[in-house]
Amino acid sequence: MAALCLSALTACAPAGRQVMGDPQDPYPLAEPPRIGQIVHLPTGTLVSPAQMLAVATDARIVYVGETHDNPASHRLELQVLQALAGRHPGRLALGMEMFARSQQPALDRWVAGELDEKAFLKESRWFENWNMDFAYYRDLLNLARERRIPVIALDAEKSLVKAVRSTAPEQLGPAERAQVPELDLTDPYQRGLVTAIFGDHSHGALAIDGFIRAQTLRDETMAESAARYLAGPDGKDKHLLVVAGGDHVSNGFGIPRRVFRRFPASSVIIGGKELDIPPDKQDRLMNVTIPDFPMVPYDFLVYQAYEDLPETGVRLGVMIEPAPGGRGLVVKGVLPGSNAERAGLHQGDLLLSLDGEPLAGNFDLTYAVQQKRPGDRGVVQAERQGTVLKLEIVFLAQQKEHGKR
């Protein structure tokens, strides 16, 4: 009789499969979430940070999906790294989307304590490859260096991503083809995500295919880098924290699924959701409709504020360009009322050093000024019409001007 009833129910069911509830939020919270709350999405259970970390540190791989420009995301990453380091001392590595494989030597030298911050930023070509304020990642990388936690460069080279976006992998030259990992371009969820993000009226079908290839290349490369490390002698018995943008790990079909294909291991995915986006950050949100996926986006979802880095307000107030031959920086303009104007700098001056540190490129001046706080002083050595001057600068707080240092 039971079989007959089941058969009858099946026959009467709609042609399409019926889905109960929301697969991405199967057990919604009874009340609106608050900043600081953490929910285990598969069960809808609110947990404490300690409970989340106890579960996460059981896993071989922990993925944390970040909002790149939200300091709250980076504090969460630091919290997870600290927990993993405490539970698995000497058996932990940190994998980062922010570095391409060619930057691995600089990362190794950083962890070994052979580079100070400025030298690391220059040697790793940080601003060329990632172009975000290092302050977002400073604490995470400092902890890795303090604890001697290996940092693994996960991502593909920018030049290769650009090539694959415009050219099918099989049509690349031998050198580029050798850098391309095994690609699974058939994942329907990744296609849906990329099409939603880039599928406005300015892109045709061929452009969308290129974006899908590029995104898949990056996810597959990061997955291959992580799996290769864990499967190799250096990663044996180690746990791995992977930090990457939320789109690379959420729902599991980006990096996590592609790692598991290569290296089946237990994993936990953690992500954040910003509540109450301030008006001045609304323009950072993508005006797209992301498809509904048939799985939770994260194992643990942390509700966060959308924050800003502390702003020192200190600027020199000059427009510069490197002098021929790398001998200093030519002042192309001085902002009225700026610290530079008060110090007596003029257009056409050649800046040679600040506080005794040579200024060979724009980065040298940018980095030096970033270390200053309101009320700090500095001495700039400049050359004006063949005469070398030493000018004292008092770094007063002032509004940031785009393009000025």
Side-chain angles (χ1 to χ4, degrees), residues 18-262:
Q18 184 178 4
V19 178
M20 295 177 60
D22 180 357
Q24 294 188 293
D25 190 13
Y27 294 96
L29 297 177
E31 298 180 354
R34 301 188 304 274
I35 291 171
Q37 286 184 318
I38 305 171
V39 60
H40 181 244
L41 286 177
T43 65
T45 304
L46 288 171
V47 299
S48 68
Q51 289 170 324
M52 176 187 71
L53 294 171
V55 175
T57 55
D58 276 340
R60 184 76 187 274
I61 309 171
V62 182
Y63 300 95
V64 178
E66 68 174 41
T67 299
H68 297 315
D69 62 350
N70 187 353
S73 280
H74 302 288
R75 285 200 305 275
L76 174 61
E77 292 166 346
L78 182 65
Q79 185 181 30
V80 175
L81 187 65
Q82 288 170 330
L84 284 164
R87 185 164 177 184
H88 308 288
R91 296 191 296 115
L92 173 64
L94 169 64
M96 300 185 69
E97 172 200 358
M98 300 77 211
F99 298 96
R101 288 172 170 178
S102 63
Q103 296 168 278
Q104 190 62 55
L107 283 170
D108 293 342
R109 281 165 48 74
W110 167 261
V111 172
E114 297 173 5
L115 300 173
D116 62 17
E117 183 177 289
K118 181 180 177 181
F120 171 68
L121 294 177
K122 292 185 76 171
E123 187 168 315
S124 68
R125 309 182 313 283
W126 170 266
F127 293 106
E128 299 170 36
N129 285 278
W130 193 242
N131 196 29
M132 290 196 69
D133 196 323
F134 185 69
Y136 288 115
Y137 301 91
R138 179 179 285 117
D139 290 344
L140 194 69
L141 284 164
N142 277 341
L143 180 62
R145 182 170 61 172
E146 291 165 9
R147 302 287 185 91
R148 291 293 191 265
I149 298 169
V151 182
I152 312 304
L154 298 180
D155 209 356
E157 306 299 327
K158 279 189 173 183
S159 58
L160 183 63
V161 175
K162 182 178 179 180
V164 169
R165 183 182 294 128
S166 60
T167 306
E170 61 271 15
Q171 297 174 348
L172 297 173
E176 289 178 324
R177 280 204 310 272
Q179 300 178 58
V180 177
E182 176 192 351
L183 298 181
D184 175 10
L185 294 164
T186 66
D187 192 298
Y189 307 121
Q190 183 146 56
R191 176 170 286 272
L193 176 66
V194 176
T195 301
I197 294 174
F198 296 102
D200 59 48
H201 297 300
S202 63
H203 302 297
L206 291 177
I208 293 298
D209 286 343
F211 282 122
I212 291 170
R213 288 197 304 269
Q215 182 79 351
T216 301
L217 169 70
R218 295 191 62 206
D219 284 348
E220 293 281 22
T221 301
M222 288 190 275
E224 182 184 72
S225 299
R228 182 184 293 170
Y229 177 78
L230 289 173
D234 291 339
K236 184 181 180 182
D237 298 328
K238 283 188 177 174
H239 293 252
L240 179 66
L241 170 61
V242 172
V243 298
D247 287 341
H248 291 289
V249 301
S250 62
N251 303 103
F253 57 75
I255 301 172
R257 177 174 179 263
R258 298 169 195 277
V259 169
F260 197 88
R261 191 177 79 231
R262 297 172 168 89

Side-chain angles (χ1 to χ4, degrees), residues 1-8:
M1 186 65 176
L4 290 175
C5 291
L6 179 59
S7 177

Side-chain angles (χ1 to χ4, degrees), residues 314-388:
V314 168
R315 295 291 181 272
L316 182 54
V318 293
M319 293 176 287
I320 55 173
E321 67 178 30
R327 184 178 178 268
L329 304 170
V330 179
V331 177
K332 306 300 290 185
V334 178
L335 186 69
S338 66
N339 293 322
E341 185 182 62
R342 284 190 291 272
L345 284 171
H346 296 172
Q347 181 177 343
D349 286 350
L350 180 65
L351 306 183
L352 301 174
S353 68
L354 177 59
D355 295 335
E357 291 292 323
L359 301 175
N362 291 16
F363 168 80
D364 296 316
L365 181 60
T366 300
Y367 185 81
V369 173
Q370 285 177 346
Q371 310 313 303
K372 299 294 186 181
R373 297 293 179 266
D376 286 352
R377 296 173 181 267
V379 176
V380 63
Q381 187 178 56
E383 184 178 299
R384 181 180 301 160
Q385 297 178 346
T387 300
V388 175

